[in-house]
């Protein structure tokens, strides 16, 4: 009996260090630089959100947070890489396009609702209907009249098929009963170059992407797609005020990590990101581009993720939106 007791005690003692080692990564995380992937090109709204968070998050985590742009496939390339990451130090700046829209339109190499976990919500921004200065329309109704006069002649740019820009324009087309032509780009930055030059005529881009061009007079805003006017563009009406209340859509952003991430690590990232978005410097930086910062408990973010996934599924089916 005594020998069995001693052997059991020895076995337990040998196990304890291994248990400590298993728990150590969560307690000591991160042990090396953290990758924050972005599913769009530099210069867009998602990139702006990611860099604003990364700049302040690194010092709190005591490791650099390196933003890596991996544009493509409706923002899902970066999400795919995150879902399959095994290094324990990869996360993604999730966006509505990748997590609530693309799963209804694309065949993905991961399960959007199983292989990733929503960790920290950052905020949201409205889309803005902007037109090139070469377009004579000064209001939404004038743009609708122009589109009806020349069906299919007006081209609209988006940051990619399945983006909020694409969905918003399709909702607009359906609500107004007009024909406009989609021109997808690999990110907002390249789309805006052609929009400013007049090669494409309109876009429903996100506020951070177009605010600079609006304020410099390079693009003309006609409406925002949020329920209320945005403080950065108080003179610009909502789509509801312009007579199209069903065209309400926006982009939201939050940190996602692989579902295998230890809960303690998820909690640490959640807490530190919330500290970042509460910093006056971060609030000033992001609110200046029209963002509404909305920290929420992780459980609420998970519920929000599922609600948005279901809502956009209904919008896509109702508007018969497909990727050719």
């Amino acid at each position: 009996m005594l020998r069995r007791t001693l052997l059991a005690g020895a076995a337990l003692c040998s196990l304890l260090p291994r248990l400590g080692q298993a728990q150590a990564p969560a307690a000591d995380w991160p042990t090396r630089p953290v990758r924050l992937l972005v599913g769009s090109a530099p210069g867009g709204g998602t990139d702006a959100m990611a860099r604003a968070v990364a700049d302040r998050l690194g010092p709190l985590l005591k490791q650099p947070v390196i933003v890596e742009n991996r544009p493509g496939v409706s923002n899902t390339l970066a999400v795919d890489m995150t879902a399959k990451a095994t290094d324990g130090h990869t996360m993604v700046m999730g966006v509505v396009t990748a997590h609530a829209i693309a799963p209804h339109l694309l065949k993905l190499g991961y399960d959007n609702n199983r292989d990733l976990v929503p960790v920290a919500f950052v905020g949201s921004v409205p889309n803005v209907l902007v037109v090139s200065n070469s377009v004579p329309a000064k209001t939404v109704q004038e743009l609708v009249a122009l589109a009806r006069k020349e069906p299919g002649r007006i081209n609209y740019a988006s940051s990619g098929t399945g983006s909020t820009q694409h969905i918003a324009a399709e909702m607009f087309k359906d609500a107004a009963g007009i024909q406009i032509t989609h021109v997808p780009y690999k990110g907002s930055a390249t789309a805006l170059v052609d929009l400013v030059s007049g090669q494409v005529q309109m876009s429903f881009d996100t506020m951070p992407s177009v605010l600079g061009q609006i304020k410099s007079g390079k693009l003309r805003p006609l409406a925002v797609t949020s329920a209320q006017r945005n403080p950065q563009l108080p003179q610009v009406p909502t789509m509801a005020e312009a007579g199209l209340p069903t065209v309400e859509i926006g982009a939201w952003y939050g940190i996602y990590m692989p579902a295998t991430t230890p809960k303690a690590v998820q909690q640490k990232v959640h807490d530190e990101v919330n500290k970042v978005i509460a910093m006056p410097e971060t609030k000033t930086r992001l609110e200046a581009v029209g963002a509404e910062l909305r920290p929420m408990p992780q459980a609420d973010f998970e519920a929000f993720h599922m609600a948005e996934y279901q809502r956009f599924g209904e919008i896509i089916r109702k508007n018969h939106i497909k990727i050719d």
Side-chain angles (χ1 to χ4, degrees):
M1 177 69 73
L2 178 60
R3 185 171 184 274
R4 287 199 299 270
T5 301
L6 290 173
L7 288 172
L12 178 60
C13 288
S14 68
L15 177 62
L16 286 174
R18 291 198 299 272
L19 289 174
Q21 290 169 5
Q23 293 170 355
D28 300 337
W29 188 93
T31 58
R32 56 180 180 272
V34 177
R35 294 194 305 162
L36 176 55
L37 301 185
V38 174
S40 58
T46 312
D47 184 69
M49 284 283 186
R51 294 182 188 279
V53 170
D55 287 350
R56 302 287 176 179
L57 184 60
L60 294 180
L61 295 178
K62 297 181 174 59
Q63 287 284 351
V65 177
I66 302 169
V67 175
E68 293 186 16
N69 296 87
R70 298 300 178 96
V73 200
S74 296
N75 292 94
T76 64
L77 179 59
V79 180
D80 186 281
M81 295 175 63
T82 302
K84 297 172 181 175
T86 59
D87 62 359
H89 288 71
T90 298
M91 51 191 182
V92 64
M93 179 57 77
V95 63
V96 58
T97 306
H99 298 285
I101 297 173
H104 301 287
L105 297 171
L106 301 172
K107 183 177 181 180
L108 303 174
Y110 59 92
D111 189 312
N112 177 64
N113 300 326
R114 184 190 64 201
D115 297 337
L116 296 125
V117 58
V119 173
F121 192 78
V122 176
S124 60
V125 296
N127 289 68
V128 187
L129 170 54
V130 290
V131 295
S132 167
N133 286 327
S134 63
V135 176
K138 301 296 191 295
T139 67
V140 171
Q141 290 305 323
E142 288 180 4
L143 180 63
V144 170
L146 186 63
R148 286 175 178 164
K149 183 179 179 181
E150 300 181 278
R153 289 289 300 277
I154 294 178
N155 297 324
Y156 72 89
S158 80
S159 63
T161 301
S163 62
T164 57
Q165 296 97 309
H166 178 205
I167 301 296
E170 291 297 304
M171 293 171 69
F172 171 60
K173 182 171 74 173
D174 181 68
I178 57 176
Q179 290 299 317
I180 50 180
T181 303
H182 183 205
V183 182
Y185 290 78
K186 293 182 178 180
S188 289
T190 51
L192 289 174
V193 170
D194 283 359
L195 184 59
V196 169
S197 69
Q199 293 188 55
V200 288
Q201 289 73 51
M202 59 171 282
S203 178
F204 276 88
D205 213 326
T206 54
M207 180 80 76
S209 297
V210 296
L211 191 59
Q213 286 86 352
I214 291 171
K215 290 190 172 182
S216 66
K218 294 179 180 178
L219 293 174
R220 185 185 314 123
L222 301 187
V224 293
T225 61
S226 49
Q228 291 83 33
R229 295 192 182 198
N230 189 276
Q232 290 297 321
L233 297 173
Q235 77 284 6
V236 178
T238 66
M239 290 296 293
E241 290 173 326
L244 297 172
T246 60
V247 186
E248 184 177 326
I249 188 174
W252 51 257
Y253 308 88
I255 301 294
Y256 285 72
M257 301 182 78
T260 55
T261 304
K263 186 64 179 177
V265 173
Q266 295 179 37
Q267 188 64 50
K268 184 172 186 177
V269 172
H270 173 271
D271 293 345
E272 300 304 332
V273 169
N274 278 356
K275 290 178 185 177
V276 168
I277 62 179
M279 293 177 179
E281 301 92 337
T282 309
K283 290 174 66 70
T284 299
R285 181 173 173 178
L286 292 179
E287 288 175 355
V289 293
E292 177 187 351
L293 303 183
R294 292 191 290 151
M296 63 176 71
Q298 186 179 2
D300 289 358
F301 184 19
E302 292 173 347
F304 175 83
H305 162 93
M306 287 306 302
E308 285 289 274
Y309 171 80
Q310 293 166 359
R311 182 173 81 93
F312 276 95
E314 292 175 1
I315 290 172
I316 288 166
R317 289 187 292 272
K318 177 183 177 183
N319 290 278
H320 309 290
I321 297 170
K322 296 180 181 180
I323 293 179
D324 298 327

